[in-house]
């Protein structure tokens, strides 16, 4: 079913309406943008109970955790934008070369127009609204297409967003609605989701030459060196995998641990998992994902240290650790996106780096070591969307850092100023006066003029 912010509107009408708002120049002034960001902030604070309840209904994450992982970071994103927006909008002067003198040159950031944000189910509020923060800051109108796998959140956003924010619409639906939206020939598509759907989105957008940002996933490794604090490493890796049951794009997907500390690391891991989960199984979003995860565990080989298959009736799964799975097992090939942690023994940092480099470039990479030389080598050799050293996932929380993938884990980025830039065009401007006209520029290039020009070349 398709519903939009203005329930009676079809998708073409919704886009047409937003285009009219944009074309009227409504969204350009700083004051309008600030007002929408403040509206988003009020939505997130006044409606916190309703939003947390909706997240809990869709993901069984618990209201406190829903607020902690979805709502709090989104408010932080709004606050950062409100604080810096004036500075971001300021034109940036650049030097003017002699041939373009007398003149002034600057970069002026202009909004793109009507943009589409397509979001996944795993952080259904944050991944819908954080890109929207960037788009509104940039002065765009936004159509949001939230995930059909988080239907309660999608319905709440469709109902509430228009009450708090202008220049936006929510289209509830799945693949068909997404494709219909892209076919409206929008000014940007910002997609968060799987690499498989990312390909479909990019192909469809290319028909209209609509630029895309793809925030995808993949296998994010965590490397544990013999120079790591093993207890801390185990706890922080387990934290990354327990959070939202491992259904996080930057969760540590698997561990590469140095041979000499493997057994000790596994011992610590077992203890901290018990501490963090109390031995209780973790919620899984759907039967399809429960079946997929059970299959990954069944075909993994290696030694199962704890855990086991998912319970498809209860939609839960115990935290599962598999030591040294088969090299060609599916669990080592596809993104796990659940509470299953393969731990693979390696000979040292260079072996770990070689293994990471042999796959697609990850969205995140983690290294646990106290050795500065190892840290530098890792940063130098491993290409990844982002890196946290000696913890997992926290680079996401730093507003000054871009968030996005590289290669197969995505293209483009956002958060803070980076998001503002993604959703705006860097217009190049040179302004000249008319009182003085540089004769050097014009043909015929002969005589003295030619000699001067030749000297300049
Ligand atoms: P998904 O790709 O299945 O769905 C994402 C969105 O695409 C949804 O809104 C969905 O309705 C739409 N969609 C699905 N199939 C479509 C089709 N055939 N045509 C057009 N649109 C379609 O992803 P998901 O299961 O919701 O999320 C999990 C994936 O997202 C994982 O791979 C994860 O790593 C990734 N992810 C990435 C980030 C990031 O910030 N990089 C964040 C969260 C999740």
């Amino acid at each position: 079913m398709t519903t939009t912010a203005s329930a009676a509107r079809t998708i073409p009408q919704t886009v047409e309406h937003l285009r009219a708002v944009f074309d009227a120049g409504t969204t350009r002034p700083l004051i309008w943008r600030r007002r929408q960001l403040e509206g988003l902030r009020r939505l997130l604070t006044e409606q916190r109970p309703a939003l947390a309840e909706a997240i809990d209904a869709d993901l069984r994450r618990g209201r406190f955790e829903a607020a902690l992982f979805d709502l709090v970071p989104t408010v932080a994103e709004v606050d950062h934008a409100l604080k810096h927006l004036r500075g971001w909008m300021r034109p940036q002067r650049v030097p003017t070369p002699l041939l373009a003198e007398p003149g002034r040159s600057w970069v002026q950031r202009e909004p793109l127009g009507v943009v589409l944000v397509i979001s996944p189910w795993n952080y259904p509020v944050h991944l819908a609204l954080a890109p929207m923060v960037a788009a509104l800051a940039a002065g765009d109108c936004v159509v949001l297409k939230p995930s059909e796998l988080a239907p309660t959140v999608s319905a709440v956003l469709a109902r509430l967003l228009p009450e708090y924010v202008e220049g936006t619409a929510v289209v509830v639906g799945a693949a068909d609605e997404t494709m219909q939206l892209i076919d409206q020939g929008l000014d940007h598509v910002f997609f968060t989701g799987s690499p498989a759907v990312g390909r479909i989105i990019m192909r469809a957008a290319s028909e209209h030459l609509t630029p895309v940002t793809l925030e995808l996933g993949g296998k994010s490794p965590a490397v544990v060196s013999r120079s790591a604090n093993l207890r801390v490493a185990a706890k922080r890796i387990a934290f990354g995998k327990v959070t939202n049951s491992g259904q996080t794009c930057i969760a540590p997907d698997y561990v590469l641990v140095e041979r000499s500390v493997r057994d000790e690391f596994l011992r610590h891991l077992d203890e901290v998992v018990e501490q963090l989960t109390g031995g209780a199984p973790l919620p899984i979003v759907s039967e399809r994902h429960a079946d997929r995860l059970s299959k990954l565990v069944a075909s993994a080989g290696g030694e199962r240290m704890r855990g086991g298959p998912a319970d498809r009736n209860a939609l839960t799964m115990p935290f599962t650790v598999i030591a040294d799975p088969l090299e060609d097992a599916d669990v080592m090939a596809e993104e796990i996106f659940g509470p299953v942690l393969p731990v693979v023994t390696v000979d040292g940092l260079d072996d770990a780096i070689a293994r990471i480099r042999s796959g697609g470039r990850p969205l995140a990479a983690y290294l646990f070591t106290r050795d500065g030389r190892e840290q530098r080598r890792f940063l130098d050799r491993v290409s990844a969307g982002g890196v946290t050293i000696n913890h997992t996932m926290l680079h996401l929380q730093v507003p000054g850092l871009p968030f996005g993938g590289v290669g197969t884990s995505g293209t483009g980025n956002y958060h803070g100023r980076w998001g503002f830039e993604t959703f705006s065009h860097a217009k190049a401007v040179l302004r000249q006066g008319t009182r003085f006209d540089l004769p050097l520029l014009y043909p015929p290039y002969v005589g003295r003029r030619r000699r001067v020009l030749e000297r300049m070349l």
Side-chain angles (χ1 to χ4, degrees):
M1 185 185 67
T2 304
T3 51
T4 69
S6 317
R9 287 193 181 118
T10 62
I11 285 176
Q13 284 168 344
T14 300
V15 172
E16 209 176 296
H17 166 72
L18 290 180
R19 198 163 287 295
V21 173
F22 181 78
D23 287 345
T26 316
T27 66
R28 288 174 182 255
L30 172 66
I31 182 82
W32 185 90
R33 304 184 195 192
R34 288 189 66 92
R35 227 179 273 141
Q36 309 323 312
L37 293 173
E38 283 157 6
L40 262 187
R41 196 179 198 292
R42 269 189 294 114
L43 166 68
L44 287 159
T45 47
E46 287 175 17
Q47 299 291 344
R48 188 168 166 161
L51 290 168
E53 200 174 306
I55 297 168
D56 185 36
D58 287 337
L59 302 181
R60 289 165 301 132
R61 199 196 278 163
R63 290 177 204 179
F64 180 77
E65 288 194 22
L68 187 66
F69 294 120
D70 249 274
L71 308 184
V72 172
T74 318
V75 172
E77 194 66 27
V78 174
D79 287 343
H80 184 75
L82 279 169
K83 187 165 164 208
H84 296 283
L85 184 54
R86 186 186 290 275
W88 295 342
M89 287 174 69
R90 207 169 282 141
Q92 288 169 304
R93 282 276 296 275
V94 299
T96 304
L98 189 63
L99 270 180
E101 288 283 12
R104 268 193 176 202
S105 310
W106 68 89
V107 178
Q108 188 164 326
R109 286 267 158 197
E110 65 176 11
L112 296 176
V114 181
V115 302
L116 172 63
V117 171
I118 306 165
S119 55
W121 54 267
N122 61 333
Y123 290 87
V125 173
H126 181 70
L127 295 172
L129 298 191
M132 192 177 274
V133 171
L136 290 170
D140 296 319
C141 287
V142 189
V143 187
L144 169 66
K145 210 301 287 166
S147 171
E148 70 281 17
L149 290 185
T152 321
V153 170
S154 299
V156 169
L157 288 177
R159 181 166 55 83
L160 293 178
L161 198 69
E163 287 178 24
Y164 288 85
V165 187
E166 295 166 27
T168 63
V170 181
V171 172
V172 175
D176 286 352
E177 287 77 7
T178 310
M179 299 316 263
Q180 215 188 322
L181 279 162
I182 294 174
D183 278 337
Q184 303 306 306
L186 299 166
D187 298 302
H188 194 86
V189 173
F190 187 101
F191 170 80
T192 305
S194 59
V197 178
R199 280 192 188 91
I200 298 173
I201 300 294
M202 198 170 184
R203 205 175 300 132
S206 74
E207 284 299 316
H208 303 272
L209 290 181
T210 301
V212 292
T213 302
L214 301 176
E215 297 278 342
L216 310 177
K219 291 186 83 62
S220 298
V223 177
V224 180
S225 134
R226 66 173 188 280
S227 313
N229 178 329
L230 295 178
R231 178 88 191 166
V232 169
K235 186 168 175 193
R236 294 177 178 181
I237 290 170
F239 159 77
K241 203 67 160 178
V242 166
T243 303
N244 205 22
S245 311
Q247 303 169 125
T248 305
C249 55
I250 53 166
D253 186 276
Y254 64 100
V255 174
L256 298 171
V257 62
E258 216 168 319
R259 192 174 303 283
S260 58
V261 294
R262 169 201 192 262
D263 293 347
E264 199 184 336
F265 173 76
L266 282 169
R267 258 196 316 279
H268 285 302
L269 186 64
D270 199 51
E271 280 170 27
V272 294
V273 168
E274 199 59 33
Q275 262 176 27
L276 297 184
T277 63
L282 302 159
I284 300 299
V285 69
S286 65
E287 283 180 1
R288 185 173 75 79
H289 281 282
D291 292 345
R292 183 183 63 78
L293 290 164
S294 293
K295 242 188 248 160
L296 286 184
V297 171
S299 61
E303 189 182 353
R304 192 178 314 156
M305 310 301 288
R306 65 177 297 136
D311 178 337
R312 89 187 297 268
N313 294 319
L315 287 183
T316 58
M317 182 172 204
F319 195 111
T320 302
V321 177
I322 299 163
D324 292 307
L326 295 167
E327 295 231 348
D328 59 354
D330 285 346
V331 80
M332 289 309 296
E334 66 176 68
E335 180 181 7
I336 295 171
F337 222 59
V340 179
L341 187 63
V343 177
V344 176
T345 311
V346 294
D347 291 330
L349 184 64
D350 287 334
D351 186 13
I353 290 172
R355 279 169 193 258
I356 296 168
R357 288 175 59 116
S358 70
R361 298 190 206 177
L363 183 59
Y366 304 111
L367 172 66
F368 289 84
T369 180
R370 287 170 288 193
D371 181 338
R373 271 171 314 176
E374 286 196 331
Q375 296 177 2
R376 284 190 293 279
R377 196 150 83 238
F378 187 83
L379 288 175
D380 189 46
R381 307 253 186 94
V382 172
S383 177
V387 171
T388 296
I389 292 175
N390 287 323
H391 215 307
T392 58
M393 309 208 294
L394 293 188
H395 59 285
L396 183 79
Q397 304 296 338
V398 182
L401 290 178
F403 179 63
V406 55
T408 48
S409 58
T411 172
N413 50 42
Y414 71 129
H415 284 193
R417 189 186 172 104
W418 304 90
F420 175 82
E421 291 189 357
T422 287
F423 281 104
S424 59
H425 165 61
K427 183 156 67 183
V429 183
L430 167 65
R431 184 178 65 201
Q432 286 211 324
T434 50
R435 260 199 291 169
F436 179 75
D437 205 16
L438 192 69
L440 214 54
L441 194 62
Y442 303 101
Y445 303 113
V446 292
R448 186 156 165 262
R449 190 176 299 175
R450 186 181 186 102
R451 286 195 298 281
V452 175
L453 276 173
E454 268 171 354
R455 241 179 299 150
M456 288 173 69
L457 290 174

